[in-house]
Each structure stands twice: as structure tokens, then as C-alpha cells.
């Protein structure tokens, strides 16, 4: 009898947990989609379908934060439902201890926790990173100077003299590689004059170098030149980029 009751309580708790997960996920998707659309709706690459996809990528991370409360509310809802139908009263009257019908809720919480740690957590991190990358690409498309928009920037010295002033619309971590989106590299001479400016769709920090993709090169007195890629040597590491 105890075994049958345990399975019954376990599946009731699991069912309520799934209902709460779906409900919280739907609310999170709606709120994030609305907020994201208000923030990026004026960008040229914006689309409702794309915005919905980006919001969906962020939902697992939001649910992951809320899952302890979801598990708590699902357990409470299960016990309230059992009590309303006098199932708990009957169980106690038949000699079943309180620990016997509480144990399945612990096992359900353990199962949900393992699923989130082993499966949902990696997917949430990947989805959040990809969502940031897409938003950065949208913001980088058709924008003016990121330096004029007071974006955070950092300075990178050049061995032959001068320095690079680096700025970006957004940063992301793509497959373990720091990535700047909507990046601008301005080469300054020691006297403060500008030698050249590179506007790239993205810039990946590889081993000892920046790899710039879809680059527009602008030099004083010359027309802008578009290049597929360009590499710039650097001594910066991922921790410096993340802090900046």
C-alpha cells in the first residue's frame, strides 16, 4: 500500500511541477518578448519572429532561477489537492506515516534538480549566449559610430607605437571564444592623431589576435574600403575583455 501511495504522490507532484514550469515559462516568454521588442523594435533587422526566438532562448535561464519556487509551489499544491479529497486523512488513518507520503515529493524534487543541472543548465547558458549574440548583431547593423554612443571601450598598446581604441555594441561568449559585436577599432598615433578606423560586424579574440569579420577600413584622406576579414595582434585575454 505504501509503495502504491508513493507512486501516486510522486506522479501527482511531477504533474503539478510540469504545469507550473509551463505556466512560468509562458509568462516569462511573454514578458521577455514584450520588453525585448520595446528595446529593439526600431532596429532595421528586427522581426517579431526573430524576437520571439531570442526570447525563447532566454526562457530556460529564467526558469532555472525560478525552479526552487516552482518545486515548492508544486509540492504545496499537491498536498492541498490530496487534503481536499481526504486522501491524506485516509492515509494517516490507515497507519501510513507523514514521511511516507512526503518522501515522493523529495524524490521528485531531486529528479527535477538533476534534470536542470545536467540538461537544462548547459542549454540555458548556450541559449542565453546565442540570444546576446543575435541582439548584438541587430544592434550592430546600420549603426553609426559606437564611440559616439558612449559605449564602453578599452585601449590596447601597439608594439610599433600608438594604440588601438576598441569598442563594441555588445559582447558575447561564442563556443568559449570572447566575441565583440558591432566592434570598432581606432588606431591612434602617439601624438593623438587617428591613423585608421576599422568597423567590423564582429571580432573574435583568438590566440594572440583579434579576428575581424566584415570590416570597413577608413583612413584619413581615403575612401572607405570593405574587407572580408582582418587580423590584429593583441596581448589581451578573455578576463580583460569581460571586465571592460
Amino acid at each position: 500500500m505504501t509503495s502504491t501511495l508513493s507512486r501516486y504522490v510522486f506522479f501527482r507532484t511531477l504533474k503539478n511541477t510540469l504545469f507550473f514550469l509551463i505556466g512560468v515559462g509562458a509568462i516569462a516568454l511573454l514578458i521577455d518578448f514584450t520588453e525585448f521588442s520595446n528595446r529593439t523594435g526600431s532596429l532595421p533587422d528586427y522581426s517579431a519572429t526573430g524576437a520571439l526566438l531570442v526570447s525563447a532562448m532566454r526562457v530556460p535561464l529564467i526558469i532555472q532561477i525560478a525552479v526552487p519556487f516552482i518545486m515548492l509551489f508544486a509540492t504545496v499544491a499537491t498536498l492541498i489537492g490530496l487534503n481536499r479529497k481526504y486522501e491524506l486523512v485516509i492515509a494517516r488513518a490507515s497507519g501510513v506515516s507523514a514521511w511516507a507520503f512526503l518522501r515522493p515529493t523529495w524524490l521528485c524534487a531531486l529528479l527535477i534538480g538533476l534534470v536542470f543541472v545536467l540538461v537544462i543548465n548547459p542549454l540555458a547558458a548556450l541559449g542565453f549566449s546565442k540570444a546576446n549574440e543575435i541582439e548584438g548583431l541587430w544592434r550592430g547593423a546600420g549603426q553609426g559610430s559606437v564611440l559616439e554612443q558612449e559605449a564602453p571601450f578599452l585601449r590596447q598598446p601597439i608594439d610599433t607605437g600608438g594604440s588601438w581604441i576598441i569598442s563594441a555594441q555588445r559582447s558575447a561568449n561564442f563556443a568559449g571564444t570572447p566575441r565583440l559585436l558591432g566592434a570598432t577599432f581606432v588606431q591612434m598615433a602617439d601624438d593623438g592623431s587617428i591613423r585608421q578606423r576599422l568597423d567590423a560586424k564582429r571580432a573574435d579574440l583568438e590566440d594572440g589576435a583579434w579576428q575581424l569579420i566584415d570590416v570597413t577600413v577608413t583612413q584619413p584622406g581615403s575612401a572607405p574600403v570593405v574587407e572580408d576579414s582582418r587580423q590584429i595582434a593583441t596581448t589581451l585575454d578573455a578576463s580583460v575583455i569581460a571586465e571592460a
Side-chain angles (χ1 to χ4, degrees), residues 143-151 167-169 182-184 197 199:
Q143 298 292 317
S145 169
V146 294
L147 296 180
E148 295 174 356
Q149 298 173 15
E150 299 182 356
S167 182
Q169 290 287 340
T184 296
R197 167 177 167 156
D199 292 284

Side-chain angles (χ1 to χ4, degrees), residues 216-226:
T216 300
V217 182
T218 306
Q219 295 179 333
S222 301
V225 178
V226 178

